Amino acid sequence: MAAIYPTSGGVWDGVASIHPHLGGTATIRGDLTDDDRTVDRYLASLDEQTAADSTTLIEMMQRISGHPPTLWNVGTIGFGTYHYRYDSGREGDGHTIGFYPRNGKLTVYLMDGTARHAALLAELGRHSTTGYCVYIRRLSEVDLTVLEQLVRASFEFVQSKAREGPIRQILWRPASRAGRRRLPGTASSSP
């Protein structure tokens, strides 16, 4: 198992973590006994609109996953877990679905990546994306029915992969280009 590091500046309410795909392992809970209270305390630190949107996302993700919200670091609220073990030796647990609320914006994590969901994302409303993140300013700017379909599809996909055993690759990264042949005179699209 990779080393565990405390969240920014130290352990916050007994939680030490690093995001599994951004440099480390997932949450290690110290002596926390009331995750909901900790989540509520974090939500109370947000502006009113972001806290209200977060409550909606918590209800949605709990309904989809059947799991209560868990604070994974100083701000990520996750639902369910999966185990990963990469060829590099890195091993740990990640949240199956989750989001990161900050004042005035929300990041919804699709751990299987945004590329798989292009058709639904086209119907979502105002947002932007990166590899596995969907950035939303306010839930009022997106279609909540479409958002729920996205989150449900991502949850079900990651769960199906996790049932096969530890996940062996970062699901949102494109398949390796190793072994692919380029046509003469074409440039590689890899950085």
Side-chain angles (χ1 to χ4, degrees):
M1 190 106 152
I4 306 298
Y5 302 95
T7 54
S8 59
V11 175
W12 187 68
D13 286 341
V15 177
S17 71
I18 287 190
H19 192 281
H21 301 303
L22 299 178
T25 63
T27 300
I28 300 300
R29 289 171 197 79
D31 53 355
L32 281 180
T33 57
D34 189 359
D35 286 334
D36 288 329
R37 190 185 83 234
T38 303
V39 170
D40 288 344
R41 193 172 337 151
Y42 178 69
L43 293 180
S45 72
L46 301 171
D47 66 80
E48 188 175 330
Q49 182 61 55
T50 305
D53 285 350
S54 296
T55 299
T56 300
L57 285 174
I58 286 170
E59 291 168 357
M60 175 191 296
M61 292 185 181
Q62 191 164 357
R63 184 172 56 250
I64 290 168
S65 71
H67 295 281
T70 302
L71 197 62
W72 278 73
N73 56 32
V74 295
T76 299
I77 299 170
F79 301 80
T81 60
Y82 67 92
H83 191 72
Y84 63 89
R85 184 182 309 134
Y86 303 145
D87 290 341
S88 67
R90 179 174 283 170
E91 181 175 1
D93 298 299
H95 56 79
T96 311
I97 53 175
F99 70 101
Y100 178 37
R102 295 174 308 269
N103 286 327
K105 55 187 161 184
L106 303 160
T107 302
V108 175
Y109 297 118
L110 303 178
M111 301 312 290
D112 59 335
T114 56
R116 295 185 71 249
H117 305 284
L120 281 172
L121 285 166
E123 299 174 24
L124 181 60
R126 187 175 178 181
H127 73 282
S128 61
T129 63
T130 57
Y132 66 98
C133 300
V134 178
Y135 303 103
I136 301 168
R137 283 186 1 164
R138 292 180 203 88
L139 289 184
S140 62
E141 296 178 348
V142 298
D143 183 327
L144 289 178
T145 302
V146 173
L147 182 60
E148 186 158 352
Q149 291 171 353
L150 281 165
V151 172
R152 184 176 306 281
S154 180
F155 178 79
E156 290 172 355
F157 181 82
V158 174
Q159 284 292 97
S160 72
K161 291 292 187 186
R163 279 192 287 278
E164 298 170 6
I167 293 177
R168 304 297 238 165
Q169 67 186 42
I170 296 174
L171 297 175
W172 58 269
R173 284 198 179 148
S176 170
R177 295 184 181 273
R180 287 190 182 177
R181 293 179 54 160
R182 284 187 286 143
L183 295 173
T186 61
S188 170
S189 61
S190 299

